[in-house]
Amino acid sequence: STLDLITRSITLRGISAVDHQDAMPGYLSEFGRALREGALTYPYTRLTGIDRAPGALCELVAGRHLGAVLVEL
């Protein structure tokens, strides 16, 4: 939790791809390879039917799903 991070004096620091544009071609190549080989997976939720689309959007905005939400028509 956030409180645990604070009480342990942990520092979080983000990085931006804008700061490392020179590394982008290599990253995209390696990331694509790992996805194709199955070394990385991307979480998604698949729902069927256009009638599920409004609820899927509400759940996505509410943070109920990790990754992408796909609605099959």
Side-chain angles (χ1 to χ4, degrees):
S1 76
T2 304
L3 183 58
D4 289 331
L5 296 175
I6 293 169
T7 59
R8 293 181 186 178
S9 299
I10 293 176
T11 301
L12 297 176
R13 182 173 163 248
I15 63 167
S16 173
V18 173
D19 297 332
H20 304 282
Q21 290 183 6
D22 58 314
M24 190 59 74
Y27 165 79
L28 292 175
S29 174
E30 185 66 20
F31 186 76
R33 182 198 58 74
L35 281 175
R36 284 189 301 278
E37 293 177 358
L40 292 176
T41 58
Y42 192 79
Y44 66 91
T45 301
R46 184 182 306 257
L47 304 171
T48 303
I50 190 70
D51 57 314
R52 307 274 313 267
L57 180 59
C58 291
E59 291 176 0
L60 183 63
V61 172
R64 291 190 181 155
H65 299 288
L66 179 64
V69 177
L70 307 174
V71 179
E72 290 182 317
L73 305 179

Coordinates of all heavy atoms in Angstrom, one line a residue:
S1 N 0.8 -1.2 0.0 CA 0.0 0.0 0.0 C 0.9 1.2 0.0 O 2.1 1.2 0.3 CB -0.9 0.0 1.2 OG -0.3 0.3 2.4
T2 N 0.3 2.4 -0.2 CA 1.0 3.6 -0.2 C 1.6 3.9 1.1 O 2.7 4.4 1.2 CB 0.1 4.8 -0.7 OG1 -0.5 4.5 -1.9 CG2 0.8 6.1 -0.7
L3 N 0.9 3.6 2.2 CA 1.4 3.8 3.5 C 2.6 3.0 3.8 O 3.6 3.5 4.4 CB 0.3 3.5 4.6 CG 0.7 3.8 6.0 CD1 1.1 5.2 6.2 CD2 -0.4 3.4 6.9
D4 N 2.7 1.8 3.3 CA 3.9 1.0 3.5 C 5.1 1.6 2.8 O 6.2 1.6 3.3 CB 3.7 -0.4 2.9 CG 2.7 -1.3 3.7 OD1 2.6 -1.1 4.9 OD2 2.1 -2.2 3.1
L5 N 4.8 2.2 1.6 CA 5.9 2.8 0.9 C 6.5 4.0 1.6 O 7.7 4.3 1.7 CB 5.5 3.3 -0.5 CG 5.1 2.2 -1.5 CD1 4.5 2.8 -2.8 CD2 6.2 1.2 -1.8
I6 N 5.5 4.8 2.2 CA 5.9 6.0 3.0 C 6.7 5.6 4.2 O 7.7 6.2 4.5 CB 4.7 6.8 3.3 CG1 4.1 7.4 2.0 CG2 5.0 7.9 4.3 CD1 2.7 8.0 2.2
T7 N 6.1 4.6 5.0 CA 6.8 4.3 6.2 C 8.1 3.6 6.1 O 9.0 3.7 6.9 CB 5.9 3.4 7.1 OG1 5.6 2.2 6.3 CG2 4.6 4.1 7.5
R8 N 8.4 3.0 4.9 CA 9.7 2.4 4.6 C 10.6 3.4 3.9 O 11.7 3.0 3.5 CB 9.5 1.2 3.7 CG 8.8 0.1 4.4 CD 8.6 -1.1 3.5 NE 7.8 -2.1 4.1 CZ 7.5 -3.3 3.6 NH1 7.9 -3.5 2.3 NH2 6.7 -4.1 4.2
S9 N 10.2 4.6 3.7 CA 11.0 5.6 3.0 C 11.4 5.2 1.6 O 12.6 5.5 1.2 CB 12.2 6.0 3.9 OG 11.8 6.5 5.1
I10 N 10.6 4.5 0.9 CA 10.9 4.1 -0.4 C 10.6 5.2 -1.4 O 9.7 5.9 -1.3 CB 10.0 2.8 -0.8 CG1 10.4 1.7 0.1 CG2 10.1 2.5 -2.2 CD1 9.6 0.4 0.0
T11 N 11.6 5.4 -2.3 CA 11.5 6.4 -3.3 C 11.1 5.8 -4.6 O 11.7 4.8 -5.1 CB 12.8 7.1 -3.5 OG1 13.2 7.7 -2.3 CG2 12.7 8.2 -4.6
L12 N 10.0 6.3 -5.3 CA 9.6 5.8 -6.6 C 10.0 6.9 -7.6 O 9.7 8.1 -7.4 CB 8.1 5.6 -6.6 CG 7.6 4.5 -5.7 CD1 6.0 4.5 -5.8 CD2 8.2 3.2 -6.1
R13 N 10.6 6.5 -8.7 CA 10.9 7.4 -9.7 C 10.6 6.8 -11.1 O 11.0 5.7 -11.4 CB 12.4 7.7 -9.7 CG 12.9 8.7 -10.7 CD 14.4 9.0 -10.4 NE 14.9 9.7 -11.6 CZ 15.8 9.1 -12.4 NH1 16.3 8.0 -12.2 NH2 16.1 9.8 -13.5
G14 N 9.8 7.5 -11.8 CA 9.4 7.1 -13.1 C 10.4 7.5 -14.2 O 11.2 8.4 -14.0
I15 N 10.3 6.8 -15.3 CA 11.1 7.2 -16.5 C 10.1 7.5 -17.6 O 9.0 7.0 -17.6 CB 12.1 6.2 -16.8 CG1 11.5 4.9 -17.3 CG2 13.1 5.9 -15.7 CD1 12.4 3.9 -17.9
S16 N 10.6 8.2 -18.6 CA 9.8 8.6 -19.7 C 10.5 8.1 -21.0 O 11.7 8.3 -21.1 CB 9.6 10.1 -19.8 OG 8.9 10.4 -21.0
A17 N 9.7 7.5 -21.9 CA 10.3 7.1 -23.2 C 10.9 8.3 -24.0 O 11.8 8.2 -24.7 CB 9.3 6.4 -24.0
V18 N 10.3 9.5 -23.7 CA 10.8 10.7 -24.3 C 12.3 11.0 -24.0 O 13.0 11.5 -24.8 CB 9.9 11.9 -23.9 CG1 10.5 13.2 -24.5 CG2 8.5 11.7 -24.4
D19 N 12.7 10.6 -22.8 CA 14.1 10.8 -22.4 C 15.0 9.8 -23.0 O 16.2 9.9 -22.9 CB 14.2 10.7 -20.9 CG 13.4 11.8 -20.2 OD1 13.2 12.9 -20.8 OD2 13.0 11.6 -19.0
H20 N 14.5 8.7 -23.6 CA 15.3 7.7 -24.1 C 14.9 7.3 -25.6 O 14.8 6.1 -25.9 CB 15.3 6.5 -23.2 CG 15.7 6.8 -21.8 ND1 17.0 6.9 -21.4 CD2 14.9 7.0 -20.7 CE1 17.0 7.2 -20.1 NE2 15.8 7.3 -19.7
Q21 N 14.6 8.2 -26.4 CA 14.2 7.9 -27.8 C 15.2 7.1 -28.6 O 14.8 6.4 -29.5 CB 13.8 9.2 -28.5 CG 12.5 9.9 -27.9 CD 12.1 11.1 -28.6 OE1 12.7 11.5 -29.7 NE2 11.1 11.8 -28.1
D22 N 16.4 7.3 -28.3 CA 17.5 6.5 -29.0 C 17.3 5.0 -28.7 O 17.8 4.2 -29.6 CB 18.9 7.0 -28.6 CG 19.1 6.9 -27.1 OD1 18.2 7.3 -26.3 OD2 20.2 6.4 -26.7
A23 N 16.8 4.6 -27.6 CA 16.6 3.2 -27.3 C 15.3 2.6 -27.8 O 15.1 1.4 -27.8 CB 16.7 3.0 -25.8
M24 N 14.4 3.4 -28.4 CA 13.1 3.0 -28.8 C 13.1 1.9 -29.9 O 12.4 0.9 -29.8 CB 12.2 4.2 -29.3 CG 10.8 3.8 -29.5 SD 9.9 3.1 -28.0 CE 9.7 4.6 -27.1
P25 N 13.9 2.0 -30.9 CA 13.9 0.9 -32.0 C 14.3 -0.4 -31.4 O 13.7 -1.5 -31.7 CB 15.0 1.4 -33.0 CG 15.0 2.9 -32.8 CD 14.7 3.1 -31.4
G26 N 15.3 -0.5 -30.5 CA 15.7 -1.7 -29.9 C 14.7 -2.3 -29.0 O 14.4 -3.5 -28.9
Y27 N 14.0 -1.4 -28.2 CA 13.0 -1.8 -27.3 C 11.8 -2.4 -28.1 O 11.3 -3.4 -27.7 CB 12.5 -0.6 -26.5 CG 11.2 -0.8 -25.8 CD1 11.1 -1.6 -24.7 CD2 10.0 -0.4 -26.4 CE1 9.9 -1.9 -24.0 CE2 8.7 -0.6 -25.8 CZ 8.7 -1.4 -24.6 OH 7.5 -1.6 -24.0
L28 N 11.4 -1.7 -29.2 CA 10.2 -2.2 -29.9 C 10.5 -3.6 -30.6 O 9.7 -4.5 -30.6 CB 9.9 -1.2 -31.0 CG 9.2 0.1 -30.5 CD1 9.0 1.1 -31.7 CD2 7.9 -0.2 -29.8
S29 N 11.8 -3.7 -31.0 CA 12.2 -5.0 -31.6 C 12.1 -6.1 -30.5 O 11.6 -7.2 -30.8 CB 13.6 -4.9 -32.2 OG 14.0 -6.1 -32.6
E30 N 12.7 -5.9 -29.4 CA 12.8 -6.9 -28.3 C 11.4 -7.2 -27.7 O 11.0 -8.3 -27.5 CB 13.7 -6.4 -27.2 CG 13.9 -7.4 -26.1 CD 14.6 -8.6 -26.6 OE1 15.3 -8.6 -27.6 OE2 14.5 -9.7 -25.8
F31 N 10.6 -6.1 -27.6 CA 9.2 -6.3 -27.0 C 8.4 -7.1 -28.0 O 7.7 -8.0 -27.6 CB 8.6 -4.9 -26.8 CG 7.3 -4.9 -26.1 CD1 7.2 -5.2 -24.7 CD2 6.1 -4.7 -26.8 CE1 6.0 -5.2 -24.1 CE2 4.9 -4.7 -26.2 CZ 4.8 -5.0 -24.8
G32 N 8.4 -6.8 -29.3 CA 7.7 -7.5 -30.3 C 8.1 -9.0 -30.3 O 7.3 -9.9 -30.4
R33 N 9.4 -9.2 -30.2 CA 9.9 -10.6 -30.2 C 9.3 -11.4 -29.0 O 8.9 -12.5 -29.1 CB 11.4 -10.7 -30.2 CG 12.0 -12.1 -30.3 CD 13.4 -12.1 -29.8 NE 13.6 -11.6 -28.5 CZ 13.3 -12.3 -27.3 NH1 12.7 -13.4 -27.4 NH2 13.6 -11.7 -26.2
A34 N 9.4 -10.8 -27.9 CA 8.9 -11.4 -26.6 C 7.4 -11.7 -26.7 O 7.0 -12.7 -26.3 CB 9.3 -10.6 -25.4
L35 N 6.6 -10.8 -27.3 CA 5.2 -11.0 -27.4 C 4.9 -12.2 -28.4 O 4.1 -13.1 -28.1 CB 4.5 -9.8 -28.0 CG 4.2 -8.7 -27.0 CD1 3.6 -7.5 -27.7 CD2 3.3 -9.2 -25.9
R36 N 5.6 -12.2 -29.5 CA 5.5 -13.3 -30.5 C 5.8 -14.6 -29.9 O 5.2 -15.6 -30.2 CB 6.3 -13.0 -31.8 CG 5.7 -11.9 -32.7 CD 6.4 -11.8 -34.0 NE 7.9 -11.5 -33.8 CZ 8.4 -10.3 -33.6 NH1 7.5 -9.3 -33.6 NH2 9.7 -10.1 -33.5
E37 N 6.9 -14.7 -29.1 CA 7.3 -16.0 -28.6 C 6.6 -16.4 -27.3 O 6.8 -17.5 -26.8 CB 8.8 -15.9 -28.2 CG 9.7 -15.7 -29.5 CD 11.2 -15.6 -29.1 OE1 11.5 -15.5 -27.9 OE2 12.0 -15.5 -30.1
G38 N 5.7 -15.5 -26.8 CA 4.9 -15.8 -25.6 C 5.7 -15.6 -24.3 O 5.2 -16.0 -23.3
A39 N 6.8 -15.0 -24.4 CA 7.6 -14.7 -23.2 C 6.9 -13.6 -22.4 O 7.0 -13.5 -21.1 CB 9.0 -14.3 -23.5
L40 N 6.2 -12.7 -23.1 CA 5.3 -11.7 -22.4 C 3.9 -11.9 -22.8 O 3.6 -12.3 -24.0 CB 5.8 -10.3 -22.9 CG 7.1 -9.8 -22.5 CD1 7.4 -8.4 -23.1 CD2 7.2 -9.6 -21.0
T41 N 3.0 -11.7 -21.9 CA 1.6 -11.8 -22.2 C 0.9 -10.5 -21.8 O 1.4 -9.8 -20.9 CB 0.9 -13.0 -21.5 OG1 1.1 -12.8 -20.1 CG2 1.5 -14.3 -22.0
Y42 N -0.1 -10.1 -22.5 CA -0.8 -8.9 -22.2 C -2.2 -9.3 -21.7 O -2.9 -10.0 -22.4 CB -0.9 -8.0 -23.5 CG -1.4 -6.6 -23.2 CD1 -0.5 -5.7 -22.7 CD2 -2.7 -6.3 -23.4 CE1 -0.9 -4.4 -22.5 CE2 -3.1 -5.0 -23.2 CZ -2.2 -4.1 -22.7 OH -2.7 -2.8 -22.4
P43 N -2.5 -8.8 -20.5 CA -3.8 -9.2 -19.9 C -5.0 -8.5 -20.7 O -4.9 -7.4 -21.1 CB -3.8 -8.7 -18.5 CG -2.8 -7.6 -18.5 CD -1.8 -7.9 -19.6
Y44 N -6.1 -9.3 -20.8 CA -7.3 -8.7 -21.4 C -8.5 -9.5 -21.0 O -8.4 -10.6 -20.5 CB -7.2 -8.7 -23.0 CG -7.2 -10.1 -23.6 CD1 -8.4 -10.7 -24.0 CD2 -6.0 -10.8 -23.8 CE1 -8.4 -12.0 -24.5 CE2 -6.0 -12.0 -24.3 CZ -7.2 -12.6 -24.7 OH -7.2 -13.9 -25.2
T45 N -9.6 -8.8 -21.1 CA -10.9 -9.4 -20.8 C -11.7 -9.4 -22.1 O -11.8 -8.4 -22.8 CB -11.7 -8.6 -19.7 OG1 -10.9 -8.6 -18.6 CG2 -13.0 -9.2 -19.4
R46 N -12.3 -10.5 -22.5 CA -13.1 -10.6 -23.7 C -14.5 -10.8 -23.3 O -14.9 -11.8 -22.6 CB -12.6 -11.8 -24.5 CG -13.2 -12.0 -25.9 CD -12.7 -13.2 -26.6 NE -11.3 -13.2 -26.8 CZ -10.6 -12.8 -27.9 NH1 -11.3 -12.5 -28.9 NH2 -9.3 -12.8 -27.9
L47 N -15.4 -10.0 -23.9 CA -16.8 -10.0 -23.7 C -17.5 -10.2 -25.0 O -17.0 -9.7 -26.0 CB -17.3 -8.8 -23.0 CG -16.7 -8.4 -21.6 CD1 -17.1 -7.1 -21.2 CD2 -17.0 -9.5 -20.6
T48 N -18.6 -10.9 -25.1 CA -19.3 -11.2 -26.3 C -20.6 -10.5 -26.4 O -21.4 -10.6 -25.5 CB -19.5 -12.7 -26.5 OG1 -18.2 -13.4 -26.4 CG2 -20.1 -13.0 -27.8
G49 N -20.8 -9.8 -27.5 CA -22.1 -9.1 -27.7 C -22.1 -7.6 -27.6 O -21.6 -7.1 -26.6
I50 N -22.7 -6.9 -28.5 CA -22.7 -5.5 -28.5 C -23.5 -5.0 -27.3 O -23.2 -3.9 -26.8 CB -23.3 -4.9 -29.8 CG1 -23.1 -3.4 -29.9 CG2 -24.8 -5.3 -29.9 CD1 -21.7 -3.0 -30.1
D51 N -24.4 -5.7 -26.8 CA -25.1 -5.3 -25.6 C -24.2 -5.2 -24.3 O -24.6 -4.6 -23.4 CB -26.3 -6.3 -25.3 CG -25.8 -7.7 -25.2 OD1 -25.0 -8.2 -26.0 OD2 -26.3 -8.4 -24.2
R52 N -23.1 -5.9 -24.4 CA -22.1 -5.8 -23.3 C -21.2 -4.6 -23.3 O -20.5 -4.3 -22.3 CB -21.3 -7.1 -23.2 CG -22.0 -8.4 -23.2 CD -22.4 -8.9 -21.9 NE -21.5 -8.9 -20.8 CZ -20.7 -9.9 -20.5 NH1 -20.7 -11.0 -21.2 NH2 -19.9 -9.8 -19.4
A53 N -21.2 -3.9 -24.5 CA -20.3 -2.8 -24.6 C -20.4 -1.7 -23.6 O -19.4 -1.2 -23.0 CB -20.3 -2.2 -26.1
P54 N -21.7 -1.2 -23.4 CA -21.8 -0.1 -22.4 C -21.3 -0.5 -21.0 O -20.6 0.3 -20.3 CB -23.3 0.2 -22.4 CG -23.8 -0.3 -23.7 CD -22.9 -1.5 -24.0
G55 N -21.6 -1.7 -20.5 CA -21.2 -2.2 -19.2 C -19.7 -2.3 -19.2 O -19.0 -2.0 -18.2
A56 N -19.1 -2.8 -20.3 CA -17.6 -3.0 -20.4 C -16.9 -1.7 -20.3 O -15.9 -1.6 -19.6 CB -17.3 -3.7 -21.7
L57 N -17.5 -0.6 -20.9 CA -16.8 0.7 -20.8 C -16.9 1.2 -19.4 O -15.9 1.7 -18.8 CB -17.5 1.7 -21.7 CG -17.0 3.1 -21.7 CD1 -15.5 3.1 -22.1 CD2 -17.8 4.0 -22.6
C58 N -18.0 1.0 -18.7 CA -18.2 1.5 -17.3 C -17.2 0.7 -16.4 O -16.6 1.3 -15.5 CB -19.6 1.3 -16.8 SG -20.8 2.4 -17.6
E59 N -17.1 -0.6 -16.6 CA -16.2 -1.4 -15.8 C -14.7 -1.0 -16.1 O -13.9 -1.0 -15.1 CB -16.4 -2.9 -16.1 CG -17.7 -3.4 -15.6 CD -17.9 -4.9 -16.0 OE1 -17.0 -5.5 -16.6 OE2 -19.0 -5.4 -15.6
L60 N -14.4 -0.7 -17.3 CA -13.0 -0.3 -17.6 C -12.7 1.0 -17.0 O -11.6 1.2 -16.3 CB -12.9 -0.1 -19.2 CG -11.5 0.2 -19.7 CD1 -10.5 -0.9 -19.4 CD2 -11.6 0.4 -21.2
V61 N -13.6 2.0 -17.0 CA -13.4 3.3 -16.4 C -13.3 3.2 -14.9 O -12.5 3.9 -14.2 CB -14.5 4.3 -16.8 CG1 -14.4 5.6 -16.1 CG2 -14.4 4.6 -18.3
A62 N -14.0 2.2 -14.3 CA -14.1 2.0 -12.9 C -12.8 1.3 -12.4 O -12.6 1.1 -11.2 CB -15.3 1.3 -12.5
G63 N -12.0 0.8 -13.3 CA -10.8 0.1 -13.0 C -11.0 -1.4 -12.6 O -10.2 -2.0 -11.9
R64 N -12.1 -2.0 -13.1 CA -12.3 -3.4 -12.7 C -11.5 -4.4 -13.6 O -11.5 -5.6 -13.2 CB -13.8 -3.7 -12.9 CG -14.6 -3.0 -11.9 CD -16.1 -3.5 -11.9 NE -16.8 -2.8 -10.9 CZ -18.1 -2.6 -11.0 NH1 -18.8 -3.1 -12.0 NH2 -18.8 -2.0 -10.0
H65 N -10.9 -3.9 -14.6 CA -10.2 -4.8 -15.5 C -8.7 -4.3 -15.6 O -8.4 -3.2 -15.6 CB -10.8 -4.9 -16.9 CG -12.2 -5.4 -16.9 ND1 -12.5 -6.7 -16.7 CD2 -13.4 -4.7 -17.1 CE1 -13.8 -6.8 -16.7 NE2 -14.3 -5.6 -17.0
L66 N -7.8 -5.3 -15.7 CA -6.4 -5.0 -15.9 C -6.1 -5.3 -17.4 O -6.5 -6.3 -17.9 CB -5.6 -6.0 -15.1 CG -4.0 -5.8 -15.2 CD1 -3.6 -4.5 -14.7 CD2 -3.4 -6.9 -14.4
G67 N -5.5 -4.3 -18.1 CA -5.2 -4.5 -19.5 C -6.3 -4.0 -20.4 O -7.0 -3.1 -20.0
A68 N -6.5 -4.7 -21.5 CA -7.5 -4.3 -22.5 C -8.9 -5.0 -22.2 O -8.9 -6.1 -21.6 CB -7.1 -4.6 -23.9
V69 N -9.9 -4.4 -22.7 CA -11.3 -5.0 -22.7 C -11.7 -5.1 -24.2 O -11.8 -4.1 -24.8 CB -12.3 -4.2 -21.9 CG1 -13.7 -4.9 -22.0 CG2 -11.8 -4.1 -20.4
L70 N -11.9 -6.3 -24.6 CA -12.4 -6.5 -26.0 C -13.8 -7.0 -26.0 O -14.2 -7.8 -25.2 CB -11.5 -7.7 -26.6 CG -10.0 -7.5 -26.6 CD1 -9.4 -8.8 -27.1 CD2 -9.6 -6.3 -27.3
V71 N -14.6 -6.3 -26.9 CA -16.0 -6.7 -27.0 C -16.2 -7.3 -28.4 O -16.0 -6.6 -29.4 CB -17.0 -5.5 -26.8 CG1 -18.4 -5.9 -27.0 CG2 -16.8 -4.9 -25.4
E72 N -16.5 -8.6 -28.5 CA -16.7 -9.2 -29.8 C -18.1 -9.0 -30.2 O -19.0 -9.1 -29.4 CB -16.4 -10.7 -29.6 CG -15.0 -11.1 -29.4 CD -14.8 -12.6 -29.4 OE1 -15.6 -13.3 -28.7 OE2 -13.8 -13.0 -30.0
L73 N -18.2 -8.6 -31.5 CA -19.6 -8.4 -32.0 C -20.1 -9.6 -32.7 O -19.5 -10.5 -33.1 CB -19.5 -7.2 -33.0 CG -18.9 -5.9 -32.5 CD1 -18.9 -4.9 -33.6 CD2 -19.7 -5.5 -31.3

